[in-house]
Amino acid sequence: MKRVNDFEETKFERAVFEVFQESPDGGAFGAFDDLSRRRMINDILDTADLNPHVEHMETRTSRGGMRFIMAGAAAAFVSFCVFGVLFWMILGSPSKTKLPRETYFGEVQSVDGSLYFDRESAFINAPIPVGRSLRTEDGGALLRLPTGIEWRMEERAEARIDSLDRNKLKVSVMSGECWFRVDPTREGPAFSVDTSMGRIEVTGTVFMVRAEPEDVRVTLLKGEVWVTHSSGRRNLVRAGHTFHLKDGKQFALTSEVRTRMGDRMTALDWDSLPDTTPSTEADVEDQEHPQASAAPLTEAADRVTPGRLLEEIQGHRKQGDWQRVVSLYTRLIRSAPGSETAVVSRVSLGEIYLTKLHRYDVALVQFDKYLRSGHKALQPEALYGKCNTLKAMGKREQEMKCLERFVRRFKRAFQVPDARARLDALRGRRSI
Amino acid sequence: MEGNRAKKPLALLDTNEILKICRESADGSRSARRQLMELLFDRIHKTASYLSSNLEDARDVAQSACVEVLLSAGSFRGDASITYWADRVTLKTAAKIFSKKTRRQRIREAFFQPPPPSVGADDTAGREEVRDRLAALVQTLKIKQREVVLLRYIHGYTNKEAAELCGIPVETARDRLKKGRAALKKKVLMDPLLKEWIQEWVEK
């Protein structure tokens, strides 16, 4: 008999290779069950949605090549520094006066009276300096910031762009009245407005901040904002309300104030912003009772096109605001109940209820409605979604029937191996 | 159309279809990204699990690699297979994550031992058990050797391909494989069940 310690390397190599190739392999820690896998994929998709600015390593060359590039860059940098110092010593400083480096963001669109950057007068098209005080005197000014934000300073207002980086854009309102119109579909740094009494976090909306020495008021015409008081208390302010930061109270706007503000919006030509007012009563009812989604078209739903709604949905998906996404999908379905977009939306809606909001009963209704619609493109997804919903609800018998139906109907679907594995587990042949 | 495309397994998709999915993923299409994940998630997860010595690290690497694949999908040109490209991204992501680990963690990892074989292990243990134990031993190899062993024995790449994927010369890859194999062999002979299995192989 050959001694085991002396066997040839090639034989060992072949043995190891064959073992790994022959048996099904889910990785060193075993495979995921289908629900965990689905959840992990959803998490990955959400993470990817939130990271549009990542520098991708795939654009780099191989590790060896990278090393050469790094070495080359380092050598170039050292040479540059050495020559720079020599040049400086020989020729001396080119200028003895240091100019402050300023960052600018956006520009002045129009000025009714006088606008000052600290003490300097500012004119139309002037770039707005970050960190300097902006002050109006005998008239307002309209400023436009590049990431979908319009900002109107009324007369005798003082504000400042506090900080700006890839993730945050902060504006401070020190005194007076400022209006902001923020496009809900905008991409870019998160926008917030600071006041002496708290912070306003904005997504997409039209609102006004009035800062006075004894109180700060936030008035909302469209959308919603989160107001964080300096004490840390957070309040959600909805459209048609005004919020007093001093005492933390919220009041509905009177019809007179609404009319006045409506006039102001018309004057600013800000009527065109889509209404992102959250959950109307009908929306809430839809979420709680999905059967009601075939209700007749409302005026509000009629105003916005499905394309625009889908864009909005995409934006909120990126932010992970699932309640809002659900509300918009419901609105989309209601706006054109028989359309293909509406029918297909039910599968997305079901997925969100299942994986994000864990409202399994509602998810089931959505999948069922799609399956009954006769639309074919997403039948496998909808049926498999239904099976997973039944699994989440712990209805084993129904889940088994659903999976059997799925495997029978969609033999070539990519979910079939997972479905079969789950079926086996349910039948007690094998545990997952 | 997308629905049909999503149903197909990876082997049935032609390069143009894969390129289209990648392009759409790079443009931020959620459905294309989901399709790409359905195609590559298991592969990435498997690679990550062999490269890591614990479940937590494996999930970290797998998740980061998946995100990286989605974000850099536009750079896939179709001149190699999509799994080859995904493996490369996974290896690079793992290298990046492991290099960030603290020295303490690295030392702890160096002392990682696989769970001891159960006493009186079943003599007729199936291939799956052998594979699981081998997998645990592969995880104890040094990371550089582990990379090459994974690519060669688990994914079945040639030495040249493994070298390309790791970004090292072929000779270096061969050397690492040799050392990794020797280390693995030593560990195999210390496990009673694996020793018996390899004995059977030698006598064949």
Side-chain angles (χ1 to χ4, degrees):
Chain A
M1 191 177 97
K2 209 168 184 175
R3 278 188 57 216
V4 74
N5 290 13
D6 299 337
F7 63 82
E8 310 94 48
E9 293 284 310
T10 47
K11 213 154 194 181
F12 175 70
E13 197 170 19
R14 240 176 51 224
V16 173
F17 184 74
E18 273 189 24
V19 163
F20 280 118
Q21 299 309 307
E22 272 175 13
S23 48
D25 185 4
F29 300 105
F32 284 107
D33 63 83
D34 53 351
L35 199 66
S36 311
R37 184 176 181 277
R38 176 185 282 264
R39 281 197 183 138
M40 236 184 129
I41 289 179
N42 281 333
D43 287 346
I44 288 161
L45 292 173
D46 293 342
T47 313
D49 282 348
L50 291 171
N51 285 286
H53 303 296
V54 174
E55 208 177 281
H56 310 309
M57 62 176 65
E58 246 330 272
T59 53
R60 297 181 207 158
T61 54
S62 67
R63 274 186 230 168
M66 195 66 196
R67 236 174 266 149
F68 283 118
I69 291 171
M70 292 293 283
F77 179 72
V78 170
S79 324
F80 178 77
C81 290
V82 170
F83 282 111
V85 169
L86 287 174
F87 190 71
W88 187 272
M89 285 167 72
I90 293 164
L91 297 179
S93 161
S95 163
K96 298 291 176 192
T97 52
K98 275 187 180 176
L99 289 172
R101 283 186 63 194
E102 274 203 323
T103 312
Y104 297 94
F105 194 63
E107 59 182 30
V108 178
Q109 196 74 19
S110 64
V111 181
D112 302 339
S114 316
L115 171 68
Y116 297 95
F117 296 158
D118 286 338
R119 286 179 187 176
E120 289 171 35
S121 288
F123 303 98
I124 296 174
N125 297 334
I128 305 166
V130 175
R132 284 171 74 183
S133 156
L134 317 179
R135 191 165 46 83
T136 51
E137 281 197 348
D138 48 351
L142 183 63
L143 317 171
R144 194 184 292 275
L145 307 183
T147 53
I149 298 168
E150 282 182 76
W151 171 10
R152 167 82 189 175
M153 290 177 74
E154 298 293 13
E155 59 181 16
R156 282 184 285 284
E158 191 177 356
R160 181 178 61 214
I161 299 180
D162 257 346
S163 64
L164 166 75
D165 60 31
R166 233 170 63 172
N167 303 318
K168 278 178 288 183
L169 167 61
K170 279 187 196 168
V171 166
S172 280
V173 177
M174 277 85 83
S175 65
E177 197 173 296
C178 287
W179 291 69
F180 296 90
R181 183 174 86 145
V182 184
D183 189 341
T185 57
R186 69 185 277 271
E187 284 179 0
F191 179 50
S192 63
V193 179
D194 281 354
T195 67
S196 59
M197 292 191 180
R199 170 174 297 175
I200 301 135
E201 288 159 53
V202 188
T203 46
T205 184
V206 175
F207 69 105
M208 183 265 281
V209 178
R210 184 198 283 268
E212 288 165 355
E214 68 281 3
D215 194 9
V216 174
R217 270 181 286 164
V218 182
T219 305
L220 238 81
L221 292 184
K222 286 185 176 181
E224 60 187 19
V225 293
W226 279 99
V227 179
T228 311
H229 196 270
S230 334
S231 64
R233 197 178 60 236
R234 266 164 74 86
N235 293 81
L236 179 69
V237 184
R238 294 183 184 282
H241 288 76
T242 186
F243 183 79
H244 293 239
L245 268 89
K246 189 183 174 189
D247 50 13
K249 284 183 181 165
Q250 196 170 154
F251 303 95
L253 297 175
T254 61
S255 56
E256 190 191 332
V257 177
R258 275 174 187 260
T259 314
R260 193 164 59 81
M261 295 204 154
D263 291 346
R264 190 78 194 101
M265 278 179 69
T266 312
L268 291 172
D269 191 24
W270 279 1
D271 284 333
S272 55
L273 191 80
D275 184 6
T276 57
T277 309
S279 312
T280 59
E281 281 175 22
D283 282 342
V284 174
E285 195 186 328
D286 254 1
Q287 284 181 35
E288 300 302 324
H289 308 288
Q291 291 84 349
S293 57
L297 230 128
T298 62
E299 252 183 63
D302 204 15
R303 280 206 299 272
V304 186
T305 61
R308 193 65 200 251
L309 275 173
L310 282 172
E311 274 175 28
E312 269 191 67
I313 287 169
Q314 199 61 27
H316 287 284
R317 264 183 181 277
K318 281 181 189 169
Q319 290 161 13
D321 186 355
W322 300 111
Q323 285 289 0
R324 189 85 190 102
V325 171
V326 161
S327 166
L328 289 167
Y329 263 129
T330 314
R331 197 163 151 195
L332 174 67
I333 292 170
R334 243 194 13 240
S335 68
S339 69
E340 187 176 40
T341 316
V343 173
V344 169
S345 295
R346 293 206 180 275
V347 182
S348 311
L349 203 48
E351 287 280 345
I352 293 168
Y353 275 126
L354 170 64
T355 57
K356 301 291 174 191
L357 302 176
H358 308 292
R359 300 267 311 273
Y360 306 127
D361 49 345
V362 192
L364 202 59
V365 172
Q366 296 301 331
F367 288 130
D368 270 339
K369 281 198 172 185
Y370 176 84
L371 291 168
R372 280 202 301 271
S373 69
H375 194 268
K376 285 186 181 165
L378 295 179
Q379 287 276 335
E381 281 79 2
L383 189 55
Y384 197 63
K386 184 180 173 178
C387 299
N388 279 330
T389 312
L390 291 167
K391 181 182 177 184
M393 292 166 94
K395 296 184 176 177
R396 292 188 149 225
E397 279 297 314
Q398 291 181 37
E399 188 200 345
M400 206 155 90
K401 281 180 188 163
C402 178
L403 285 170
E404 280 167 351
R405 193 172 147 216
F406 177 79
V407 172
R408 213 170 40 244
R409 276 185 66 188
F410 306 107
K411 286 177 188 147
R412 290 186 178 179
F414 70 90
Q415 301 98 332
V416 165
D418 291 340
R420 283 192 202 282
R422 176 68 187 156
L423 262 177
D424 285 349
L426 284 170
R427 285 170 184 154
R429 267 198 244 156
R430 156 179 156 204
S431 61
I432 288 180
Chain B
M1 179 65 195
E2 279 191 358
N4 292 334
R5 195 171 61 191
K7 281 181 223 165
K8 282 189 190 177
L10 186 56
L12 296 183
L13 285 171
D14 65 33
T15 312
N16 286 336
E17 281 177 300
I18 293 174
L19 276 171
K20 196 176 171 204
I21 297 175
C22 287
R23 262 200 310 274
E24 287 169 7
S25 296
D27 291 342
S29 157
R30 179 100 177 172
S31 63
R33 285 180 168 183
R34 184 176 288 281
Q35 284 168 29
L36 197 60
M37 272 303 97
E38 293 292 354
L39 294 173
L40 296 175
F41 178 80
D42 292 333
R43 174 78 175 201
I44 292 171
H45 173 250
K46 183 173 161 182
T47 309
S49 73
Y50 281 108
L51 287 173
S52 316
S53 52
N54 61 60
L55 186 59
E56 201 184 325
D57 279 357
R59 290 203 170 178
D60 262 4
V61 171
Q63 191 152 1
S64 306
C66 286
V67 172
E68 197 57 52
V69 160
L70 290 178
L71 295 178
S72 54
S75 67
F76 175 65
R77 290 186 298 273
D79 41 12
S81 76
I82 184 89
T83 46
Y84 181 90
W85 176 78
D87 286 342
R88 197 167 65 204
V89 175
T90 313
L91 284 169
K92 284 184 180 179
T93 309
K96 204 172 156 189
I97 288 175
F98 295 149
S99 70
K100 279 186 190 164
K101 279 193 163 185
T102 59
R103 187 169 168 269
R104 183 186 289 269
Q105 276 173 304
R106 269 189 244 160
I107 291 169
R108 202 171 55 202
E109 200 171 89
F111 287 96
F112 169 79
Q113 290 297 319
S118 52
V119 182
D122 186 2
D123 290 343
T124 55
R127 274 293 168 94
E128 267 185 44
E129 179 153 10
V130 170
R131 192 209 61 212
D132 288 347
R133 288 191 183 207
L134 263 179
L137 292 182
V138 168
Q139 287 179 305
T140 62
L141 296 176
K142 285 179 185 169
I143 181 71
K144 287 181 179 174
Q145 294 168 3
R146 206 187 305 165
E147 277 181 357
V148 190
V149 167
L150 158 79
L151 296 171
R152 186 79 183 86
Y153 300 141
I154 299 170
H155 286 334
Y157 287 113
T158 61
N159 281 348
K160 195 180 164 213
E161 287 168 336
E164 268 174 20
L165 279 164
C166 295
I168 51 174
V170 185
E171 292 73 27
T172 313
R174 214 172 276 146
D175 185 51
R176 285 184 190 172
L177 185 68
K178 193 178 166 190
K179 284 181 182 161
R181 191 170 53 217
L184 190 64
K185 186 176 152 190
K186 204 171 159 188
K187 288 170 197 276
V188 162
L189 294 177
M190 283 162 70
D191 182 318
L193 186 134
L194 292 178
K195 191 174 178 179
E196 199 173 315
W197 160 73
I198 205 74
Q199 176 86 53
E200 282 172 20
W201 254 91
V202 173
E203 286 169 3
K204 262 187 193 176

